[in-house]
Amino acid sequence: MKKFQTLLYYCYSYIAEAEQFAADHLTFCKSLGLVGRIIVANEGLNGTVSGTKEACEAYMSAIKADERFAKTDFKIDEVDEPSFIKMHCRYKAEIVHSGLRDTSIINPNERTGKHLEPADFQKMIDDEDVVILDVRSNYEHNLGKFKNAVTLDIENFRDFPDKINELAQYKDKKVLTYCTGGIKCEKASALLLHHGFNDVYQLHGGIIKYGKEVGGEDFEGKCYVFDNRIAVDVNSVNPSIVSKCFNCGTVTPKMINCANPECNEHITQCDACGEELQGCCSTACTTNPRKRAYDGTGYYVKVPQPVNVASK
């Protein structure tokens, strides 16, 4: 039996004095012995935390006891060890960076795509009048995606609004959006509705919940996650590997961050190229004097960078 859990969750719910809430919440999480990464904004919470089962249960109980977050849906993974090393809780303008901050236009608590439970999503994905839309970034859908999904050439979710015109051809279709845990779809589906898409849905709980509840059928490859696991399995029904090594083209499910911190590119890389390039995406990156030591995982703990005094 595994000793630890990792919780993935979000909740759009207004938080007054959110910056102070973030500071207090960090103290609370540390008191439970949790590690992870939480973003707090006036619009709500977005987090992944990890710790003992007892600590995670205490955390979930505390969140749901707060009426602002009572509707929070936690995705729970059993893990061999905590999925982070440190605990961070930071205040930001949005809980997922999209640039869509005008609540008179985009407000997930008022208007968003119809939520589909995983079993319902599964029943609809092969319908002729359906388009499955992946709203994640390139490096995420390169690692894994739903069969026949439409993907967008975006480096970050904040680029999504610029792609709306490319999707206009699907206005008369049922558009089923999905992402890792559901948070991006709340705003992506709301933006599609704002631009005249009439029949918009979103996968409730995202890829992670889909894998847990219906076995992940027809999700090809692995799912990128924002912790030191980097990638997790989703499909236990008809699994496949679709990602290829950035350097040699060999099929591989492994994703890393380039060992050069000034690059830090997310890439899929086979073990052979990882060893040859010391965890870097290119020969050029291996010569950087700040190159991090490669331990085979391709995951690096963020450390404070030196202040560039000259620029000041």
Side-chain angles (χ1 to χ4, degrees):
M1 182 177 292
K2 297 182 178 181
K3 292 183 177 180
F4 302 97
Q5 291 182 334
T6 295
L7 311 177
L8 173 67
Y9 71 96
Y10 71 89
C11 184
Y12 282 99
S13 182
Y14 180 73
I15 303 174
E17 300 180 357
E19 193 165 2
Q20 182 60 51
F21 178 92
D24 295 340
H25 201 63
L26 175 61
T27 301
F28 171 63
C29 290
K30 286 183 174 180
S31 75
L32 294 176
L34 292 172
V35 290
R37 185 181 299 121
I38 301 171
I39 299 173
V40 178
N42 292 99
E43 66 182 6
L45 295 173
N46 174 19
T48 307
V49 296
S50 193
T52 64
K53 290 185 178 181
E54 294 76 15
C56 288
E57 287 172 3
Y59 182 77
M60 288 188 286
S61 295
I63 289 294
K64 290 189 174 183
D66 188 320
E67 62 181 12
R68 294 172 295 182
F69 315 127
K71 63 183 181 180
T72 303
D73 182 23
F74 287 94
K75 275 71 74 177
I76 306 171
D77 274 337
E78 306 291 330
V79 293
D80 291 317
E81 58 185 24
S83 301
F84 294 86
I85 294 176
K86 297 180 179 180
M87 185 68 232
H88 298 281
C89 186
R90 296 190 173 97
Y91 170 78
K92 294 189 177 182
E94 295 178 275
I95 56 175
V96 59
H97 188 13
S98 67
L100 304 172
R101 302 178 192 173
D102 186 346
T103 54
S104 67
I105 298 175
I106 303 297
N107 186 342
N109 287 314
E110 293 184 359
R111 191 183 188 216
T112 189
K114 303 164 194 165
H115 287 67
L116 284 176
E117 293 303 322
D120 297 320
F121 183 91
Q122 184 183 36
K123 291 175 184 175
M124 290 179 66
I125 56 178
D126 289 322
D127 291 354
E128 289 186 5
D129 61 342
V130 159
V131 170
I132 307 166
L133 177 62
D134 191 320
V135 304
R136 300 172 303 153
S137 305
N138 288 334
Y139 64 89
E140 296 175 87
H141 61 67
N142 283 342
L143 184 65
K145 63 183 182 64
F146 277 102
K147 180 184 68 177
N148 299 326
V150 172
T151 57
L152 301 172
D153 182 13
I154 56 177
E155 295 300 318
N156 301 96
F157 183 57
R158 63 176 175 267
D159 300 326
F160 178 79
D162 295 332
K163 296 294 181 177
I164 291 294
N165 289 339
E166 293 182 15
L167 299 172
Q169 59 186 304
Y170 306 122
K171 278 192 175 182
D172 295 328
K173 300 276 190 179
K174 292 178 182 176
V175 180
L176 277 56
T177 66
Y178 74 88
C179 59
T180 307
I183 186 171
K184 293 176 180 177
C185 290
E186 300 282 5
K187 287 192 174 182
S189 62
L191 187 65
L192 290 169
L193 290 168
H194 176 72
H195 282 276
F197 291 75
N198 296 315
D199 213 358
V200 182
Y201 302 79
Q202 63 187 80
L203 174 56
H204 183 218
I207 299 164
I208 301 300
K209 188 173 183 179
Y210 184 84
K212 292 182 181 301
E213 294 194 2
V214 297
E217 185 175 10
D218 289 333
F219 185 85
E220 302 172 331
K222 292 198 171 197
C223 180
Y224 181 88
V225 290
F226 297 84
D227 57 60
N228 62 8
R229 294 172 296 169
I230 302 179
V232 297
D233 292 323
V234 174
N235 191 334
S236 59
V237 179
N238 54 348
S240 61
I241 300 172
V242 295
S243 49
K244 295 182 179 180
C245 177
F246 175 81
N247 303 104
C248 71
T250 300
V251 174
T252 178
K254 186 176 182 179
M255 175 164 273
I256 69 164
N257 284 101
C258 178
N260 173 9
E262 294 174 14
C263 171
N264 208 45
E265 188 74 24
H266 296 289
I267 62 166
T268 44
Q269 186 179 67
C270 69
D271 287 330
C273 289
E275 290 299 322
E276 181 180 348
L277 294 170
Q278 305 164 54
C280 291
C281 68
S282 65
T283 303
C285 279
T286 64
T287 64
N288 189 287
R290 293 180 55 220
K291 185 183 75 67
R292 299 169 289 201
Y294 178 60
D295 65 0
T297 66
Y299 176 83
Y300 305 97
V301 178
K302 291 184 178 180
V303 296
Q305 300 301 316
V307 175
N308 187 343
V309 178
S311 68
K312 291 184 174 294

